Amino acid sequence: MKFSILSWGAWSPHYQHASEWLNWPVTALNQATEQAAVPKLAHVPAMQRRRLSQLTKTMLEAINQCAPTEQCRSIFASQHGEINRTIGLLNDIVDESALSPTGFSQSVHNTASGIYSILSGNRAASTSIAAGKNTFSQGFIEAFGQLHADPEPLLLVYADEPVPQVYRQFSAVPECAIATAFMLAPANDTQAALATLTLTPINEQTNNELSIGLLLSSLAAKQNISGSFSGWHWELDCD
């Protein structure tokens, strides 16, 4: 699978703008600082912004940085989705407290997809992906299939945040909130590309392992990188 990356954006408590990924990695923030870090989303009306979960806010910030084209198809990938909001609702039920209508309506896995569609007026098709620890790579697999059927560029968004304490024994990642967005096109697309990304299946892990942070840092620095990640060999060519 081969893609042209036309634009990208990413947000985490440590790196809130694309240029800040040049500093990856840095000493981790303390937990209180991470929880307090939320995208400002100045482009979203305050009345709507205050109702959004942190996960949706991080996705919208990454998309805003990516600056996708109007009415483009989109793919939203998240391993855990709105699990933090869902756990909050379940706790309210246990406590026999009233459920928040907004919280309930925005507790589904594809919440961010719907919110993005409403805010941007994007009526193009949108797909939601959840594939366990391979969610990030499966998002690219879905993108490849869609681009094969229709070469028009599309938006791929990935985001996750730490799971609630009750589930920590079952999932150690991600360690902090992270969201990424990419405008992808076929590798032979005539539009100017920032980089080319190639994914090749591998039978076994190699010593040269990648991560989302490494990929984003290399994109920010415009440096080539390759290695194994999520069951695939990734090769980023920024030349």
Side-chain angles (χ1 to χ4, degrees), residues 3-238:
F3 306 89
S4 289
I5 299 178
L6 305 182
S7 63
W8 69 284
W11 188 95
S12 80
H14 306 74
Y15 321 98
Q16 301 185 11
H17 303 282
S19 60
E20 294 180 0
W21 286 94
L22 291 169
N23 302 321
W24 191 93
V26 298
T27 304
L29 301 176
N30 62 54
Q31 188 174 10
T33 303
E34 289 182 356
Q35 291 176 345
V38 179
K40 298 185 184 302
L41 294 182
H43 62 288
V44 177
M47 184 65 73
Q48 294 170 296
R49 185 172 61 238
R50 68 182 181 83
R51 298 175 179 175
L52 304 177
S53 69
Q54 177 168 330
L55 181 71
T56 296
K57 288 179 179 178
T58 61
M59 284 186 166
L60 293 178
E61 174 61 25
I63 293 171
N64 187 56
Q65 293 181 24
C66 184
T69 57
E70 294 183 1
Q71 302 303 324
C72 65
R73 293 167 294 166
S74 59
I75 300 169
F76 284 74
S78 179
Q79 178 177 354
H80 306 298
E82 295 285 351
I83 189 171
N84 284 289
R85 176 160 266 175
T86 301
I87 288 296
L89 291 171
L90 292 175
N91 288 333
D92 287 340
I93 292 174
V94 172
D95 296 336
E96 298 184 351
S97 300
L99 297 183
S100 163
T102 298
F104 182 78
S105 66
Q106 295 186 16
S107 64
V108 295
H109 193 87
N110 61 341
T111 292
S113 171
I115 296 297
Y116 166 66
S117 175
I118 293 170
L119 292 176
S120 64
N122 189 335
R123 297 179 297 277
S126 184
T127 304
S128 293
I129 298 289
K133 64 180 181 180
N134 293 323
T135 296
F136 186 71
S137 60
Q138 288 297 319
F140 281 90
I141 293 172
E142 174 67 20
F144 181 79
Q146 292 196 23
L147 289 172
H148 180 75
D150 179 356
E152 193 68 23
L154 56 76
L155 172 68
L156 171 61
V157 186
Y158 165 83
D160 259 314
E161 57 186 353
V163 299
Q165 188 63 44
V166 67
Y167 286 132
R168 292 287 169 85
Q169 60 178 312
F170 305 110
S171 178
V173 292
E175 297 180 354
C176 66
I178 183 172
T180 65
F182 306 91
M183 276 300 294
L184 300 176
N188 59 357
D189 190 84
T190 57
Q191 300 183 60
L194 300 177
T196 300
L197 180 64
T198 304
L199 277 70
T200 307
I202 55 176
N203 295 324
E204 59 184 25
Q205 292 291 102
T206 65
N207 292 329
N208 186 23
E209 294 191 10
L210 295 185
S211 65
I212 297 176
L214 270 173
L215 286 170
L216 295 176
S217 177
S218 297
L219 257 178
K222 299 180 180 180
Q223 293 179 344
N224 299 344
I225 194 172
S226 64
S228 63
F229 175 49
S230 191
W232 292 78
H233 179 80
W234 301 64
E235 184 174 352
L236 182 70
D237 187 353
C238 298

